[in-house]
Amino acid sequence: MPQSPPPPSWHKSSRSAGGECVEVARTETRVHVRDSKTRDHSLQFDHERWRAFLSSL
């Protein structure tokens, strides 16, 4: 039976204040993004698209 991947390790910005922030987690194949107040849903991006998004900022 194949092992399931470990759950993502979520990180908040050091500039986060009052618990209202975006959290990001990286896995081997995806970058997950979620609202710290709504942790049951996340957006998922492949690494290439995530890098493109960051470079556009």
Side-chain angles (χ1 to χ4, degrees):
M1 178 178 250
Q3 288 185 335
S4 58
S9 178
W10 294 95
H11 302 278
K12 290 183 188 179
S13 169
S14 59
R15 296 179 184 224
S16 172
E20 297 183 14
C21 62
V22 172
E23 298 176 329
V24 176
R26 289 178 164 256
T27 63
E28 193 172 307
T29 59
R30 296 275 187 214
V31 176
H32 305 260
V33 181
R34 70 182 182 187
D35 184 327
S36 63
K37 296 176 301 226
T38 312
R39 295 181 170 186
D40 53 342
H41 300 289
S42 68
L43 300 174
Q44 298 179 27
F45 303 91
D46 62 41
H47 291 274
E48 183 179 334
R49 289 183 190 263
W50 182 249
R51 283 190 295 274
F53 168 70
L54 293 179
S55 68
S56 72
L57 298 178

